[in-house]
Amino acid sequence: MVKEPMQVTERPRERALLVGIERPGAEWSCAESLAELERLVDTVGAETVGTVTQRLREINARTFVGKGKVAEISAALAGLKADVVIFDDELSPSQQSNLERDIKGVKIIDRTALILDIFALHATSRAGRLQVRLAQNQYLLPRLRGMWEHLASNRMGGGVGSRFGEGESQLEVDRRMVRKRIERIRIDLDKLHEEHKTQRKARMSSGIFRIALAGYTNAGKSSLLNRLTDANVLAYDKLFATLDSTTRRLVLDDGREMTLTDTVGFIQKLPTTLVESFKSTLAEITDADLVLHVADVSSDNRIAQMQAVSDVLEQIGAHDIPQLLVLNKCDLLPSEQRAVAAQRLPQGIFTSAISGEGLDLLRRRIEQVANASSPVMRVLVPYTEGSYVRLAHEQCSVMHESYVEEGTILQLRVPQNLVARFTPLLID
């Protein structure tokens, strides 16, 4: 008997209906925000089959959108054969519960749940996975009641036990479990945070100038890191391709070594639970000497994206760190639009991680910022103190070196943390 070959069928993509609202004075239009939400849907592997929008001044406290719009969503589902309805803003637990009662037969999720799902798919390191799990459980905890309401509503009529149903008791059990899980994850994260803190402290005491890349997701930070440091870091044209921070060595033209760290990309409406959960990753930004704010200059939404990044930098206390604005992907920008961007963003450095344009200028600007924080010192190192010469070459910028009978004369740019070490050797 001849066996037929097994047919491997690919799991069909989920079909999503997106729901957004247009609010007067919003920085992002509803169409722009839904376009980004559609990219998030594609990143998680689903397919957008339709959108529903509504202009609102005030959010409906019960169902987020109006009663008529809920009915419109229900009617649209049958024809679109959608599996999931995704709202472009975060729903309160009661709004999600009410929508699940009013819109039957499909999953109801919000933008926050979608972003958490993407982070769960892309987290690779132990710290990244723990940070995502913490955010997921913090998101889940207040929503447990809605998950058990179907049990509570099935309680039998009066009599003994009618005031104490299975759903409510299980709800309390689940709440305790989730709280304990959150507590355990926080303990594990605190341990990792201390380890990372020790590593960062060692880097800080080394006197090496530290640079952090920060920017909107998919602005090209990983590609820029690769081009500047000859690294081989994952760089996909997808939202949130990078979650875990990556540090590489950057060597400037004068031989000075620095560290360059790529960090998680930001996004508008970034859930506050994620910002809190990723504090150990974002600490790479707050501990930096210089932040390269990387923006996709070819994006029509570049100004709004830059503002979203600035908002998060302020939220984590990194807004006072020196910054350079890097306008990446300039090779995708037509010349007339580039002229407009140059006029509106005169402080920006136009770069292309693909063609290499502007990278020499970026290196010079980095060197200027680094030098501004490092005084020039002329020292005489006795030949018996060779460790100072080695320290100078490893952690300072050696501008001139000569030899006399008493020892080695060095003219250096010295990081602030090493100034006291070289002060006793100062000459003229």
Side-chain angles (χ1 to χ4, degrees), residues 227-385:
R227 192 68 188 244
L228 286 170
T229 65
D230 295 324
N232 190 26
V233 176
L234 173 72
Y236 286 157
D237 185 20
K238 279 185 178 266
L239 304 186
F240 297 119
T242 302
L243 292 186
D244 301 305
S245 60
T246 304
T247 300
R248 295 290 183 268
R249 185 181 67 164
L250 172 65
V251 182
L252 296 183
D253 294 338
D254 64 358
R256 186 172 178 183
E257 293 186 5
M258 304 177 175
T259 60
L260 184 61
T261 301
D262 189 14
T263 60
V264 60
F266 300 156
I267 199 169
Q268 62 137 345
K269 304 176 186 176
L270 188 67
T272 53
T273 51
L274 269 181
V275 176
E276 173 61 24
S277 299
F278 272 71
K279 64 182 180 181
S280 61
T281 297
L282 296 173
E284 296 288 355
I285 298 176
T286 57
D287 290 340
D289 299 300
L290 171 66
V291 173
L292 299 186
H293 179 169
V294 183
D296 177 1
V297 73
S298 69
S299 171
D300 294 334
N301 298 328
R302 58 179 175 262
I303 301 299
Q305 291 176 355
M306 288 164 56
Q307 185 58 51
V309 173
S310 296
D311 290 344
V312 176
L313 290 176
E314 185 166 3
Q315 187 178 345
I316 64 175
H319 55 292
D320 290 332
I321 299 172
Q323 286 187 33
L324 291 177
L325 176 60
V326 182
L327 301 176
N328 198 33
K329 302 188 181 182
C330 68
D331 54 309
L332 303 179
L333 200 64
S335 55
E336 61 275 10
Q337 293 183 29
R338 180 166 175 163
V340 172
Q343 188 175 14
R344 291 182 179 176
L345 301 166
Q347 76 278 27
I349 304 167
F350 285 88
T351 65
S352 169
I354 302 302
S355 69
E357 180 183 347
L359 297 188
D360 288 339
L361 173 59
L362 177 57
R363 285 172 176 272
R364 289 197 298 274
R365 293 289 298 278
I366 291 172
E367 187 176 350
Q368 289 171 3
V369 175
N371 289 343
S373 66
S374 305
V376 176
M377 301 179 71
R378 189 164 179 260
V379 297
L380 172 61
V381 181
Y383 290 122
T384 55
E385 301 289 344

Side-chain angles (χ1 to χ4, degrees), residues 90-347:
E90 186 167 330
L91 300 171
S92 70
S94 62
Q95 287 170 339
Q96 186 165 353
S97 179
N98 292 331
L99 286 164
E100 286 169 348
R101 277 198 296 267
D102 295 346
I103 304 173
K104 306 291 186 183
V106 295
K107 288 185 292 185
I108 307 292
I109 67 171
D110 58 18
R111 184 185 182 97
T112 298
L114 180 63
I115 292 174
L116 288 173
D117 202 28
I118 294 171
F119 271 52
L121 281 173
H122 290 183
T124 55
S125 71
R126 182 164 182 259
R129 290 194 297 270
L130 284 172
Q131 288 166 149
V132 172
R133 282 174 54 201
L134 176 60
Q136 286 175 325
N137 281 279
Q138 288 173 327
Y139 177 82
L140 173 66
L141 184 59
R143 288 167 172 77
L144 286 173
R145 175 176 291 278
M147 296 179 181
W148 283 102
E149 279 189 349
H150 67 287
L151 288 177
S153 65
N154 288 334
R155 288 179 295 187
M156 299 178 66
V160 176
S162 63
R163 295 172 296 275
F164 191 83
E166 179 189 357
E168 192 64 27
S169 61
Q170 184 63 52
L171 172 63
E172 292 308 316
V173 170
D174 282 2
R175 278 177 173 163
R176 283 196 298 272
M177 289 175 60
V178 173
R179 287 192 187 104
K180 285 181 180 178
R181 198 178 302 146
I182 288 173
E183 186 178 348
R184 285 197 305 269
I185 294 170
R186 278 182 170 152
I187 290 171
D188 289 342
L189 273 175
D190 284 342
K191 290 178 182 176
L192 281 177
H193 184 59
E194 286 303 314
E195 292 175 13
H196 293 164
K197 191 175 177 181
T198 302
Q199 293 168 1
R200 287 196 302 272
K201 189 175 180 180
R203 289 204 301 268
M204 290 171 71
S205 64
S206 71
I208 295 177
F209 194 80
R210 292 149 296 142
I211 308 168
L213 293 164
Y216 210 77
T217 183
N218 206 43
K221 300 190 311 306
S222 297
S223 298
L224 201 62
L225 177 78
N226 288 338
R227 192 68 188 244
L228 286 170
T229 65
D230 295 324
N232 190 26
V233 176
L234 173 72
Y236 286 157
D237 185 20
K238 279 185 178 266
L239 304 186
F240 297 119
T242 302
L243 292 186
D244 301 305
S245 60
T246 304
T247 300
R248 295 290 183 268
R249 185 181 67 164
L250 172 65
V251 182
L252 296 183
D253 294 338
D254 64 358
R256 186 172 178 183
E257 293 186 5
M258 304 177 175
T259 60
L260 184 61
T261 301
D262 189 14
T263 60
V264 60
F266 300 156
I267 199 169
Q268 62 137 345
K269 304 176 186 176
L270 188 67
T272 53
T273 51
L274 269 181
V275 176
E276 173 61 24
S277 299
F278 272 71
K279 64 182 180 181
S280 61
T281 297
L282 296 173
E284 296 288 355
I285 298 176
T286 57
D287 290 340
D289 299 300
L290 171 66
V291 173
L292 299 186
H293 179 169
V294 183
D296 177 1
V297 73
S298 69
S299 171
D300 294 334
N301 298 328
R302 58 179 175 262
I303 301 299
Q305 291 176 355
M306 288 164 56
Q307 185 58 51
V309 173
S310 296
D311 290 344
V312 176
L313 290 176
E314 185 166 3
Q315 187 178 345
I316 64 175
H319 55 292
D320 290 332
I321 299 172
Q323 286 187 33
L324 291 177
L325 176 60
V326 182
L327 301 176
N328 198 33
K329 302 188 181 182
C330 68
D331 54 309
L332 303 179
L333 200 64
S335 55
E336 61 275 10
Q337 293 183 29
R338 180 166 175 163
V340 172
Q343 188 175 14
R344 291 182 179 176
L345 301 166
Q347 76 278 27

